[in-house]
Amino acid sequence: MTAGLSPSPRVLVVRNSEGSAPRRLLPWLAEEGVTCEEVEGPDVPTAADGYDGAVLLGGGFMPDDDLRRPWLARERALARHAVDEGVPLLGICLGAQLLAVARGGTAASSHGTPERGSCSVQLLGEAKEDELLNDLPAHFPVIQNHRDQITELPPGAVHLARSEACPVQAFRVGDRAWGVQFHPEVDAARLAQWDESALTEEGLDLDALRARAEQAEPESARAARQLVANFAAVVHTYAAGRRSPTVG
């Protein structure tokens, strides 16, 4: 490192399952000058000490499935710590549900209509002044892959986005903790690896889902890239404040 230069901000990325890779988040955050450190769910810390941000990825289970995934209790503690200390946090899909539950909200299994493939998300009025969603269009396509939903936001949470099938698509808790039900880290090409038989059982056609996602990919990628840039900016601001010498 060149003398006199501050180290790049460090963001903890929590992987909850084999399929919950950060994918394009890593190169995008690197482009924004942010260093990511990945950790598997069972090794998740209970606090964000030493980090300038955290990303909680998805997984095909509920955020309070502690009996089969005992590390979730520690991950919820991490989310609470981040909110309490103002550490920037981004929860994605399961990560969003985990943030909601950790702060007193609720999530329900197999609730409502599953969302698969490319779906449209609508920003709500509160999103206009929100640091994560700033400069995103009022409507934009995203990749979805969930059957569970947040059914009640935590006390004091700010509702930021919705979709036709899922009322809670994005929200903020405190000043710097966000949950998004959709997957900014996933591109249309990922759908080629989805389980076709499982989708057929839901009455869905994988080829049709792939075609729709590929058509929407340019717009979807632009929105996701802006969201990641916005999160990185929050991380940089937090890191600069944390490392500034205390006056007085």
Side-chain angles (χ1 to χ4, degrees):
M1 180 182 301
T2 303
L5 292 181
S6 299
S8 62
R10 297 169 62 236
V11 167
L12 177 69
V13 179
V14 181
R15 297 181 57 151
N16 286 294
S17 66
E18 289 186 8
S20 67
R23 307 186 192 286
R24 60 188 180 184
L25 288 188
L26 295 186
W28 283 354
L29 286 170
E31 289 172 5
E32 298 294 332
V34 173
T35 298
C36 292
E37 298 182 15
E38 296 182 65
V39 63
E40 301 296 329
D43 299 317
V44 66
T46 57
D49 295 335
Y51 292 99
D52 302 301
V55 176
L56 313 181
L57 297 173
F61 40 85
M62 294 299 292
D64 55 357
D65 188 9
D66 296 0
L67 185 61
R68 291 183 293 177
R69 285 97 180 175
W71 74 85
L72 290 174
R74 297 200 302 277
E75 196 167 345
R76 293 195 301 275
L78 170 64
R80 287 191 293 271
H81 177 266
V83 175
D84 290 342
E85 298 299 320
V87 180
L89 182 143
L90 176 61
I92 296 173
C93 197
L94 167 65
Q97 296 168 13
L98 189 147
L99 171 62
V101 170
R103 299 301 299 187
T106 60
S109 176
S110 300
H111 183 83
T113 303
E115 290 184 302
R116 310 292 188 196
S118 180
C119 305
S120 179
V121 163
Q122 173 190 353
L123 296 185
L124 301 177
E126 296 287 351
K128 293 180 181 179
E129 304 298 326
D130 183 75
E131 290 182 280
L132 182 72
L133 300 177
N134 185 41
D135 290 332
L136 270 72
H139 295 80
F140 56 94
V142 296
I143 297 296
Q144 303 269 18
N145 190 20
H146 72 99
R147 64 167 62 245
D148 310 323
Q149 291 190 24
I150 295 166
T151 52
E152 184 176 352
L153 284 170
V158 180
H159 191 187
L160 299 171
R162 69 178 305 278
S163 71
E164 184 175 345
C166 179
V168 179
Q169 284 291 342
F171 64 97
R172 186 181 71 248
V173 180
D175 294 328
R176 304 186 188 95
W178 290 272
V180 296
Q181 184 59 64
F182 53 90
H183 288 275
E185 82 283 14
V186 174
D187 62 14
R190 172 64 178 166
L191 273 67
Q193 301 174 41
W194 285 11
D195 188 335
E196 184 171 10
S197 61
L199 291 168
T200 300
E201 291 179 2
E202 290 186 358
L204 299 172
D205 181 273
L206 179 56
D207 289 338
L209 292 179
R210 290 182 63 187
R212 181 177 179 181
E214 288 166 4
Q215 182 178 19
E217 177 60 20
E219 185 180 358
S220 179
R222 282 194 298 271
R225 184 66 181 84
Q226 183 64 57
L227 184 151
V228 172
N230 290 347
F231 182 68
V234 175
V235 169
H236 275 284
T237 299
Y238 172 80
R242 188 167 72 87
R243 291 167 185 159
S244 296
T246 302
V247 177

